[in-house]
Amino acid sequence: MNSLGMLLGGFANALTPANLLMALIGVLIGSLAGMIPGIGPTPAIAILMPFTTALGPVQGIIMLAGIYYGAVYGGSTTAILLGIPAELQAVPVTLDGYPLAKQGKGGPALGIAAISSFVAGVLGVLGLIFFAPLLAAQALKFGPPEYFALMILTLTVIVNLSGASVAKGLVMGLAGYLVSMVGVGPSSGHARFTFGLAPLSAGVEMVSVIIGLFAISEVIIGMGSRTPVTAAEKIGSVYPSRADLKHTAPTMVRSGLIGFFLGLLPGASPAVSAFLSYDVEKRLSKNPGQFGKGELRGVAAPEAAGNATASSGFIPLFTLGIPSSPPLAILLAGLMIYGLQPGPNLFQQSGSFVWAVIASMFIGNVMLVVLHLPLVGIWVKLTQIPLRVLKPIVLILCVVGVYTVRNSMFDVLVAIIFGVIGYFLRKYHWPLVPFILCFMLGPLTELSFVQSMSISNGSLSIFFTSPIALVILILAAVLFAVSVFLMRRSRKRALSLEADRPDLPISIHTN
Amino acid sequence: MKAGAAGMKQDRIGGVVSIAVGAGSLVEAAILYPFRLNSTSGDFVMPGVVGALLVVMGLLLVFVVKTPPFEIERPDRKAGIQMLGTIVILFAYWWAISELGYVIGTVLASFGLFKVVSGYGWIRAAVYAGIITLVLYVVLIQLLNIALPTGIFNV
């Protein structure tokens, strides 16, 4: 069946009343959690992910998709209304969104952001329809050496996810691999790194690590830092005028395309495309001086580009198993909980399920626009909820959420321990996402390596004699260099903005 | 001390930890070596490779790489007590769920968290704890049918 037919099948699967309700609940909860200052999209997805496991696979993944889109868009709401970007990607949105909010034009800024997100989301789905069959056709050519090369390629993403220091990111990635080895060895069946503790023989549960590192530690560290909370001004109508739409439409398309094509490259993060598109729009503008003072194009460009990259990022995520941003890394974990192994065989092995997921993402995007525009007044009030009320609730949800995955109190203990470890790692600026990425991909990396060695009788040359593996390894080296260049450029821009604009309460979470 | 120098010093300490963890991984690889499939394949390979790379990266962090400087924001006394209290309550919650059951454990833990984290008075913390426990009970146990521990009181 062609991909359009598969997509229609996916829509048929996703558009049942029960599934639509799950998408609605997911978008609502995700939006709420993502826009709470001090929590942000990545921890929001981490906290809510375990509860989706109480549902069936399709409903669970649909709710997860809703949570993902809701949380990411919720992060933009906080960036625009309060000037607090929860992730690096939201910094350029803050530059013009927050001044617009201070001028009483927060409504149109939110409206443009929502429409830009929608345009970008649609581009991502269309891209999946076009590219997925091309990549799926290559799936049968992938054996253990090619998979291992793919895992090496994934390491290039660490550059983008490392925060300020690539060296520290690499150490964290290696530590993630190490923790993934806890349990029983795949070839001999002997226990590794279990220290005689029986519960460790089953390995360390992924959700426990994610909740501990991203949610519990986030709450703990929030007690020691003072997040500047600014009251949102009157925001005006959320529906952009026809003139506003005409003004920003070319920007949405341009930036959406920039973001989309950057997202196809494994290693390009939404933050890179958000900054790049902002710069492009500023250069193309007849009034570049207006940027940074409240220019709607300054909101539309990074929002469309960042979300297009996040959406087209599903292509390397689904076909190669490579996430391009922290929220996508958590979403990858969510897919793996449901038994999906993103990679070249995904479309072959779980085609109908994957297309249902893609369709549900499209539905989640539509719901986001439908819900956010009329209900913006409520969302604005929600950003004012004091964090001290929510922190105890979040912690209780973390504990219960971890327990529900395997009904294991040991997993809860692991989550709390990782919460404490995560606090110190964040405190000393050790990036968490490389750890979790390598932790997730560790078992597949080891398995493909062991199988490759068995095929080649222990010769490492197998990785260089396979044309596909060789091309992937060369690509990994090139992308590593390009990623270092692009990320340094984006970071310099962010740092110079922090220095130039002390009026903006910018506090970027690099973890 | 120069601004950010403290952060660089902590990175060097992180490098030392990396070396120690890497060395531990190499020891594990040596223990697993007798169970190898061949000289380049078996359960010892990944611990060996990862351990060696951790040692190398640790050495680089200690002696070669100059990581970008950063400030370490230390929590004040009140925040420190809140953090410590939160961690103690979480561990106590873990114990209480197993021994006293989910309902009693959640009432006690959420009460403690509303007192310590939110700084509420006894009555408000107790009311909020009751509401949270009730709402989660309805959602998790009644709606989602999740089986949670009942403890020695079977509640």
Side-chain angles (χ1 to χ4, degrees):
Chain A
M1 200 190 296
N2 62 23
S3 52
L4 193 62
M6 296 288 276
L7 180 67
L8 290 175
F11 271 109
N13 204 356
L15 280 172
T16 62
N19 290 349
L20 280 174
L21 181 66
M22 292 305 135
L24 179 72
I25 294 171
V27 168
L28 281 173
I29 298 175
S31 301
L32 170 62
M35 68 177 56
I36 295 168
I39 293 184
T42 308
I45 299 166
I47 293 163
L48 297 168
M49 185 174 62
F51 295 100
T52 64
T53 59
L55 304 165
V58 174
Q59 290 188 346
I61 212 81
I62 284 174
M63 185 184 266
L64 200 59
I67 290 170
Y68 170 76
Y69 277 110
V72 171
Y73 182 72
S76 301
T77 306
T78 317
I80 290 170
L81 293 181
L82 304 180
I84 303 171
E87 316 240 5
L88 188 58
Q89 172 192 350
V91 173
V93 179
T94 311
L95 292 177
D96 284 276
Y98 187 56
L100 280 166
K102 287 176 90 174
Q103 294 162 23
K105 297 176 186 168
L110 285 172
I112 290 292
I115 294 164
S116 304
S117 299
F118 177 73
V119 170
V122 172
L123 269 174
V125 174
L126 293 176
L128 265 175
I129 297 166
F130 179 74
F131 283 98
L134 296 177
L135 286 159
Q138 302 299 316
L140 296 174
K141 296 175 186 169
F142 271 69
E146 289 77 16
Y147 262 108
F148 182 73
L150 205 55
M151 294 300 110
I152 300 299
L153 178 67
T154 307
L155 292 179
T156 58
V157 182
I158 287 178
V159 175
N160 284 318
L161 304 175
S162 286
S165 167
V166 175
K168 287 162 83 174
L170 289 172
V171 169
M172 288 301 290
L174 291 167
Y177 275 133
L178 204 65
V179 177
S180 77
M181 286 183 244
V182 173
V184 175
S187 55
S188 72
H190 278 84
R192 291 189 304 192
F193 300 105
T194 56
F195 310 105
L197 296 169
L200 283 178
S201 301
V204 178
E205 170 59 36
M206 186 162 51
V207 174
S208 305
V209 179
I210 290 173
I211 289 279
L213 290 181
F214 288 94
I216 295 177
S217 72
E218 180 83 29
V219 174
I220 295 173
I221 208 158
M223 294 170 191
S225 61
R226 293 170 191 81
T227 308
V229 176
T230 314
E233 313 288 330
K234 286 187 177 176
I235 62 165
S237 169
V238 76
Y239 299 100
S241 66
R242 188 173 287 185
D244 287 342
L245 283 173
K246 197 178 169 188
H247 180 60
T248 51
T251 301
M252 285 183 205
V253 175
R254 259 195 308 268
S255 303
L257 288 172
I258 290 173
F260 176 78
F261 285 109
L262 274 176
L264 294 177
L265 299 173
S269 73
V272 169
S273 59
F275 274 104
L276 194 66
S277 64
Y278 186 87
D279 284 346
V280 167
E281 283 307 311
K282 196 174 174 181
R283 284 175 205 277
L284 291 176
S285 173
K286 288 172 184 169
N287 295 310
Q290 189 58 28
F291 276 75
K293 294 175 183 169
E295 165 62 72
L296 272 175
R297 284 183 172 181
V299 174
E303 191 69 26
N307 281 293
T309 302
S311 295
S312 61
F314 280 104
I315 295 168
L317 178 74
F318 281 161
T319 56
L320 304 174
I322 301 174
S324 58
S325 65
L328 274 182
I330 307 294
L331 199 71
L332 172 64
L335 294 171
M336 289 166 87
I337 288 171
Y338 288 104
L340 289 172
Q341 180 60 58
N345 284 318
L346 181 68
F347 282 86
Q348 301 275 344
Q349 291 171 350
S350 319
S352 59
F353 190 26
V354 173
W355 284 108
V357 175
I358 294 168
S360 69
M361 284 166 179
F362 187 84
I363 293 165
N365 246 321
V366 174
M367 281 192 174
L368 204 64
V369 178
V370 172
L371 282 176
H372 270 267
L373 295 183
L375 299 179
V376 72
I378 296 171
W379 299 122
V380 171
K381 283 196 173 66
L382 288 174
T383 61
Q384 307 294 312
I385 295 176
L387 204 54
R388 67 177 191 150
V389 179
L390 296 170
K391 279 176 181 169
I393 301 170
V394 168
L395 288 172
I396 296 287
L397 286 177
C398 287
V399 170
V400 178
V402 168
Y403 177 81
T404 56
V405 176
R406 290 200 301 192
N407 288 358
S408 163
M409 286 310 293
F410 181 75
D411 289 348
V412 175
L413 182 65
V414 170
I416 298 169
I417 291 170
F418 269 93
V420 177
I421 293 171
Y423 166 77
F424 287 105
L425 291 172
R426 282 168 186 269
K427 199 77 188 163
Y428 296 107
H429 294 226
W430 290 81
L432 302 179
V433 180
F435 178 93
I436 209 71
L437 185 63
C438 292
F439 173 72
M440 284 191 288
L441 299 177
L444 187 60
T445 307
E446 180 167 17
L447 189 66
S448 56
F449 182 80
V450 168
Q451 287 175 340
S452 301
M453 288 298 101
S454 297
I455 293 167
S456 67
N457 288 322
S459 170
L460 291 167
S461 64
I462 191 170
F463 300 114
F464 305 103
T465 51
S466 155
I468 295 176
L470 184 62
V471 167
I472 293 173
L473 287 173
I474 293 169
L475 189 65
V478 173
L479 280 173
F480 186 82
V482 172
S483 298
V484 169
F485 170 75
L486 286 174
M487 207 56 207
R488 280 190 176 167
R489 185 179 175 279
S490 299
R491 262 187 226 120
K492 275 182 188 169
R493 284 281 288 127
L495 289 172
S496 68
L497 284 168
E498 280 195 57
D500 293 347
R501 299 290 304 276
D503 55 311
L504 292 176
I506 290 174
S507 63
I508 306 155
H509 293 215
T510 52
N511 287 318
Chain B
M1 196 178 281
K2 278 183 183 177
M8 289 169 73
K9 185 186 167 193
Q10 304 303 337
D11 286 351
R12 290 205 182 92
I13 293 171
V16 173
V17 172
S18 175
I19 293 167
V21 172
S25 186
L26 287 172
V27 170
E28 189 75 6
I31 292 168
L32 290 164
Y33 188 70
F35 307 107
R36 67 191 178 278
L37 299 176
N38 56 48
S39 60
T40 54
S41 185
D43 289 342
F44 75 100
V45 174
M46 283 294 276
V49 171
V50 170
L53 288 172
L54 275 170
V55 170
V56 170
M57 289 306 300
L59 288 170
L60 287 174
L61 275 171
V62 173
F63 297 111
V64 182
V65 176
K66 283 187 178 175
T67 52
F70 60 89
E71 293 295 323
I72 301 164
E73 196 183 327
R74 299 205 183 279
D76 58 28
R77 187 181 155 78
K78 189 186 167 191
I81 291 170
Q82 274 187 333
M83 286 176 188
L84 203 60
T86 303
I87 292 165
V88 169
I89 290 170
L90 284 176
F91 279 110
Y93 187 29
W94 168 73
W95 173 84
I97 291 180
S98 307
E99 300 299 319
L100 307 176
Y102 161 75
V103 174
I104 296 174
T106 303
V107 169
L108 295 174
S110 49
F111 173 77
L113 289 170
F114 278 117
K115 275 292 290 174
V116 173
V117 179
S118 309
Y120 291 146
W122 293 91
I123 294 172
R124 190 191 260 201
V127 171
Y128 281 13
I131 293 170
I132 281 294
T133 308
L134 184 67
V135 170
L136 286 179
Y137 183 87
V138 170
V139 173
L140 299 175
I141 296 173
Q142 300 294 325
L143 293 179
L144 294 176
N145 291 320
I146 293 171
L148 292 162
T150 51
I152 54 172
F153 300 110
N154 202 24
V155 179

